[in-house]
Amino acid sequence: MLQPLAERLRPKTLDEYIGQEHLVGKGAVLRRMIDAGQISSFILWGPPGVGKTTLAKIISNQLEAPFYTLSAIHSGVKEVREVLEKCGGNRLFHKGRPILFIDEIHRFNKSQQDSLLGAVENGTVTLIGATTENPSFEVIRPLLSRCQVYVLKPLSVKNLEELLERALREDSVLKEREIAVEETDALFRFSGGDARKLLNILDLIINSDDNARIVINNAIVTERLQENPAAYDKGGEMHYDIISAFIKSVRGSDPDGAIYWLARMVAGGEDPKFIARRLVISAAEDIGLANPNALLLANACFDAVQNIGWPESRIILAETTIYLASSPKSNSAYLAIDDALALVEQTGNLPVPLHLRNAPTSLMKELDYGKNYKYAHDFQNHFVSQQYLPDALQKQSIWHIQSNAAESKLKEHLKQLWGDRYNE
């Protein structure tokens, strides 16, 4: 049986590997380690189809190291321990330290990840993990501290052009066909920086055309893909388009739109934690102080879906989605922290006013640390007017109150305390 084009063209050496020049290009960090024959454990984080598995196999081949793989979906603690025992037994018979490659390592639970710690720490194996999710959220801290994280990027148009040319030039099947590439915009757009998807689309177009001469242009690519609609791809371009439409519907206060895009993700088998995480971000970024309860509900949603899973999580996500989409909106806190960060970058490390400094030692007290500080709770309404910003920023305005019921109440309260300072 003929292998798919993506498998036939899978690179076997770094010279054949396309993309990720920041990691494996001349003088790059991974290239230097590979050339030196010494690599430490690391995690490859990036979208699908950018070469995570391929890179791990190339490293194993170049270092002449035994290569073991585990799938986080099908392997439990028992399988992890069995593989680690094999790795330990094979060290005497091979040149390089065994490499254990774990695809979708973010799906390993805490017990599975804990079972790896000893082998990684004592050098029984070199662990290479692959993940499409942020490792800081999904990988336990002890394991993360023992692994460097390298970020892989979607392939650029230049990378995709190189891959297309290589496929047409080197693949034994494609070389036998007359293929005319007239346009590549649609081909590259639907690929979404994913090498595997590009080759799969190319495979689809060529296998569905019996003509002696095959033409590839924007119209033909679009037509073929519409005739052969792929399932929802939670790792590809559609994944990012749909989550974008979902969040923008919440931000735009359209519960119908938001619940529709949620249904698209649920039907496609999206990770409920991914959806819940984006709702937490939206609650803070888009709703913010206009309805602070939104963040509480979104965070409760995130906790709940971790404990519940599918299919019941769809109800929790739906409730939170509709509540957030229906809530009043404000991005004043989001803008305030960005403005404050820009101010810090512009002004540098301005000194803390002496009266705000802590004075745990007698020397600090002699230097007037904390002198004349007024304890707010000692005054009426638990407030006293005093300076809280650095001297150079005393008149600086950072948080700009927006027009909504909740912030209007905050504005009135601050006006009673500070007068016209927050009266904008």
Side-chain angles (χ1 to χ4, degrees), residues 309-373:
W310 293 134
E312 290 80 3
S313 281
R314 76 190 192 283
I315 308 167
I316 303 166
L317 290 167
E319 177 183 346
T320 308
T321 294
I322 292 171
Y323 183 81
L324 266 58
S326 305
S327 290
K329 303 298 189 293
S330 170
N331 65 346
S332 67
Y334 169 58
L335 295 176
I337 185 58
D338 281 356
D339 287 348
L341 287 169
L343 190 60
V344 169
E345 183 176 357
Q346 177 186 350
T347 58
N349 296 323
L350 295 174
V352 177
L354 283 175
H355 68 282
L356 296 181
R357 300 187 191 186
N358 194 26
T361 69
S362 57
L363 175 60
M364 290 178 174
K365 291 178 181 177
E366 292 173 6
L367 294 174
D368 289 341
Y369 280 38
K371 185 178 181 180
N372 297 324
Y373 168 68

Side-chain angles (χ1 to χ4, degrees), residues 149-373:
V149 175
Y150 297 116
V151 180
L152 278 70
K153 304 173 182 178
L155 298 190
S156 65
V157 170
K158 182 180 178 182
N159 295 148
L160 295 175
E161 288 173 346
E162 184 181 351
L163 179 59
L164 176 60
E165 290 171 2
R166 180 177 168 229
L168 298 176
R169 183 180 67 250
E170 299 181 8
D171 181 67
S172 57
V173 176
L174 300 192
K175 285 194 299 185
E176 301 300 317
R177 307 290 297 270
E178 183 182 354
I179 302 171
V181 180
E182 295 179 349
E183 297 172 314
T184 57
D185 291 346
L187 182 61
F188 293 164
R189 183 175 70 254
F190 286 116
S191 300
D194 183 326
R196 188 186 307 112
K197 186 173 289 187
L198 170 68
L199 296 176
N200 288 344
I201 294 172
L202 193 59
D203 230 358
L204 169 66
I205 293 170
I206 292 168
N207 291 334
S208 61
D209 196 328
D210 295 327
N211 294 319
R213 184 174 185 270
I214 300 171
V215 175
I216 296 176
N217 57 36
N218 296 338
I220 289 174
V221 170
T222 303
E223 178 187 353
R224 293 289 194 277
L225 289 179
Q226 289 174 344
E227 291 173 355
N228 300 270
Y232 174 89
D233 180 1
K234 61 184 178 182
E237 180 186 37
M238 191 178 293
H239 161 80
Y240 297 104
D241 287 346
I242 288 180
I243 194 63
S244 175
F246 174 64
I247 293 301
K248 287 173 181 172
S249 299
V250 172
R251 182 182 299 141
S253 299
D254 185 355
D256 288 340
I259 206 73
Y260 169 79
W261 295 117
L262 174 64
R264 287 284 298 272
M265 290 187 286
V266 172
E270 181 58 85
D271 183 350
K273 290 188 293 182
F274 172 78
I275 303 172
R277 187 178 300 125
R278 295 305 298 263
L279 287 171
V280 173
I281 296 168
S282 180
E285 178 180 338
D286 298 315
I287 299 165
L289 293 167
N291 180 10
N293 286 332
L295 182 57
L296 299 178
L297 182 64
N299 199 53
C301 170
F302 182 78
D303 290 340
V305 299
Q306 292 191 94
N307 297 324
I308 301 300
W310 293 134
E312 290 80 3
S313 281
R314 76 190 192 283
I315 308 167
I316 303 166
L317 290 167
E319 177 183 346
T320 308
T321 294
I322 292 171
Y323 183 81
L324 266 58
S326 305
S327 290
K329 303 298 189 293
S330 170
N331 65 346
S332 67
Y334 169 58
L335 295 176
I337 185 58
D338 281 356
D339 287 348
L341 287 169
L343 190 60
V344 169
E345 183 176 357
Q346 177 186 350
T347 58
N349 296 323
L350 295 174
V352 177
L354 283 175
H355 68 282
L356 296 181
R357 300 187 191 186
N358 194 26
T361 69
S362 57
L363 175 60
M364 290 178 174
K365 291 178 181 177
E366 292 173 6
L367 294 174
D368 289 341
Y369 280 38
K371 185 178 181 180
N372 297 324
Y373 168 68

Side-chain angles (χ1 to χ4, degrees), residues 21-25 27-34 148 150:
E21 290 85 357
H22 63 294
L23 295 178
V24 296
V29 56
L30 269 180
R31 189 69 176 246
R32 291 199 308 269
M33 286 198 296
I34 296 168
Q148 184 65 43
Y150 297 116

